[in-house]
């Protein structure tokens, strides 16, 4: 994020993925081989239900025509464990092992447990959501994610009344992650949300993109997305989810507290100390756009009523 400036990204019209590609459910089911027939059937059923309910409706309908080419979504990445350049994660994460994978749920919950990924996913109905994805360095994308509401998971593990926050911890494996040799961050990458932010229907656990399983460079096999926040709030390759009553440490606010706060709501009126946040460049476009408050997801404003968002940046 802060290490070096990024080169302009070349876009070719041939990169633009037809919408039908990400709607190809069969690809997803086939690639979900880890899940076995039982889960594949569940996924198929869930997707039918999702389609009937209009699964792309939240923030998605008006964005369909603006999808960022799949090639850009999967090759222009921030994943510092695999290098600090935007084009490092794709080649460097190629052989990252994501099977088997387990997720530890711990802290202030009635049902703490370590889950195998497939057990973890099984009860949840997958749906598509097309979201604006806004990075702190003033570039943005529009991405068709696939996953399930984080609220479903939270309800399942039953947080105690005392739990106020969730902390996410991501994978740390120096054998497989060349980037963690460098003390760019205090590894592992951690992030956190207030419990009400995590419960908001827009907040999502993500397992796929463009109708396929998440590629490693995008956070396989499990990440989360909070569409009204800067991209660094969404952790890739999550291994632990902890419920707590204390505001958790977050990777970037530990590294440079004056530049990155806990809330990280997209806010055109609060600049990063070294650059403006008032405008952004959608990957694939030359002109800059005005950045929208909460990345355009104004329905979350009530979560912050009465708060000074200049102080709570
Ligand atoms: N998660 C981990 N584990 N490591 C990282 O370096 N980078 C963050 C976030 N999640 C990061 C991470 C940042 S800075 C951004 S902008 C988004 O991932 C980028 O997500 P994308 O590559 O899918 O666009």
């Amino acid at each position: 994020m802060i290490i070096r400036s990024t080169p302009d990204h070349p876009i070719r019209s041939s990169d633009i993925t037809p919408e039908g590609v990400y709607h190809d459910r069969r690809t997803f089911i086939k690639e979900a081989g880890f899940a076995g027939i039982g889960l594949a059937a569940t996924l198929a059923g869930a997707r039918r239900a999702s389609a009937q309910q209009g699964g792309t409706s939240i923030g998605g309908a008006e964005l369909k025509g603006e999808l960022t080419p799949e090639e850009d979504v999967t090759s222009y990445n921030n994943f510092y464990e695999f290098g600090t350049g935007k084009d490092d994660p794709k080649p460097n994460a190629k052989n990252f092992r994501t099977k088997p994978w387990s997720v530890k749920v711990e802290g202030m919950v009635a049902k703490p447990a370590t889950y195998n990924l497939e057990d973890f996913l099984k009860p949840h109905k997958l749906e598509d959501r097309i979201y604006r994805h806004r990075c702190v360095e003033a570039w943005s994308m529009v991405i068709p994610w696939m996953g399930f509401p984080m609220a479903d998971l939270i309800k399942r593990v039953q947080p105690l009344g005392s739990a106020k926050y969730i902390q996410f911890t991501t994978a740390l494996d120096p054998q497989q992650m060349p980037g963690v040799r460098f003390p760019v961050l205090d590894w592992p990458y951690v992030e956190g949300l207030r419990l009400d932010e995590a419960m908001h229907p827009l907040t999502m656990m993500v397992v796929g993109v463009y109708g396929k399983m998440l590629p490693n460079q995008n956070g396989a096999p499990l990440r989360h997305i909070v569409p009204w926040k800067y991209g660094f709030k969404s952790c890739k390759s999550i291994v632990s989810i902890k419920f707590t009553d204390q505001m958790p440490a977050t990777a970037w606010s530990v590294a440079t507290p004056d530049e990155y706060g806990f809330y990280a709501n997209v806010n055109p009126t609060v600049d990063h100390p070294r650059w403006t946040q008032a405008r952004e460049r959608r990957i694939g476009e030359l002109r800059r756009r005005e950045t929208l408050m909460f990345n355009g997801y104004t329905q979350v404003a009530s979560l912050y009523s009465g708060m000074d968002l200049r102080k709570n940046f």
Side-chain angles (χ1 to χ4, degrees):
M1 272 181 12
I2 55 171
I3 300 303
R4 68 185 203 208
S5 64
T6 57
D8 274 343
H9 195 67
I11 305 292
R12 297 181 304 273
S13 59
S14 58
D15 285 338
I16 296 170
T17 304
E19 199 180 297
V21 171
Y22 84 88
H23 282 303
D24 184 359
R25 307 292 183 240
R26 282 166 305 178
T27 314
F28 189 87
I29 292 171
K30 200 168 135 220
E31 294 187 10
F34 70 87
I37 292 167
L39 181 55
T42 313
L43 295 177
R47 278 186 291 271
R48 269 196 304 279
S50 164
Q52 281 156 12
Q53 293 159 14
T56 54
S57 61
I58 303 181
E62 85 278 19
L63 293 173
K64 254 188 194 173
E66 303 182 39
L67 286 182
T68 301
E70 181 180 358
E71 173 61 19
D72 294 316
V73 173
T74 59
S75 62
Y76 189 79
N77 301 105
N78 275 340
F79 200 165
Y80 275 27
E81 290 87 332
F82 295 101
T84 54
K86 308 282 181 228
D87 49 3
D88 289 338
K90 186 174 181 179
N92 292 347
K94 195 167 58 148
N95 298 320
F96 180 53
R97 286 187 299 278
T98 58
K99 298 173 195 174
W101 193 270
S102 58
V103 182
K104 189 172 181 188
V105 176
E106 55 188 324
M108 296 174 162
V109 272
K111 297 186 168 177
T114 298
Y115 296 87
N116 294 326
L117 183 65
E118 52 265 45
D119 294 336
F120 193 71
L121 297 183
K122 223 176 268 175
H124 302 292
K125 286 186 179 170
L126 294 187
E127 38 185 88
D128 290 311
R129 307 264 188 97
I130 301 172
Y131 278 157
R132 292 187 196 96
H133 181 78
R134 166 68 159 78
C135 203
V136 75
E137 299 110 319
W139 53 266
S140 64
M141 299 187 178
V142 176
I143 305 182
W145 298 112
M146 180 182 279
F148 57 89
M150 192 182 284
D152 290 359
L153 160 67
I154 294 173
K155 286 181 207 148
R156 181 176 161 209
V157 299
Q158 299 174 11
L160 305 182
S162 47
K164 299 282 178 279
Y165 296 91
I166 305 190
Q167 182 170 39
F168 302 90
T169 304
T170 68
L172 173 58
D173 183 349
Q175 301 295 326
Q176 298 193 76
M177 297 172 152
V180 303
R181 272 179 293 160
F182 306 101
V184 184
L185 291 170
D186 187 10
W187 310 110
Y189 196 102
V190 286
E191 255 306 336
L193 293 172
R194 235 171 42 192
L195 196 53
D196 59 344
E197 296 177 315
M199 290 289 291
H200 193 278
L202 287 172
T203 306
M204 140 184 239
M205 302 298 301
V206 169
V207 295
V209 68
Y210 269 97
K212 302 171 189 155
M213 303 300 288
L214 273 180
N216 291 345
Q217 62 272 26
N218 289 91
L222 182 72
R223 71 178 293 172
H224 71 85
I225 292 291
V226 193
W228 69 93
K229 292 182 181 282
Y230 291 115
F232 68 90
K233 290 299 289 182
S234 66
C235 275
K236 296 176 166 183
S237 306
I238 293 170
V239 294
S240 150
I241 299 175
K242 184 176 180 179
F243 291 76
T244 163
D245 56 357
Q246 304 292 318
M247 184 182 274
T250 66
W252 283 102
S253 62
V254 168
T256 50
D258 296 341
E259 302 191 13
Y260 305 104
F262 177 81
Y263 282 95
N265 292 318
V266 173
N267 188 339
T269 69
V270 178
D271 285 339
H272 185 280
R274 288 183 286 126
W275 59 76
T276 176
Q277 294 288 27
R279 283 175 295 284
E280 67 199 55
R281 192 171 71 84
R282 184 77 53 80
I283 296 296
E285 292 180 354
L286 290 177
R287 74 183 170 96
R288 294 191 183 272
R289 297 172 173 248
E290 300 292 309
T291 289
L292 302 172
M293 186 66 201
F294 299 120
N295 215 11
Y297 299 97
T298 46
Q299 61 267 53
V300 301
S302 60
L303 292 176
Y304 309 103
S305 55
M307 283 176 71
D308 181 345
L309 296 183
R310 292 187 164 274
K311 287 194 183 129
N312 297 287
F313 59 95

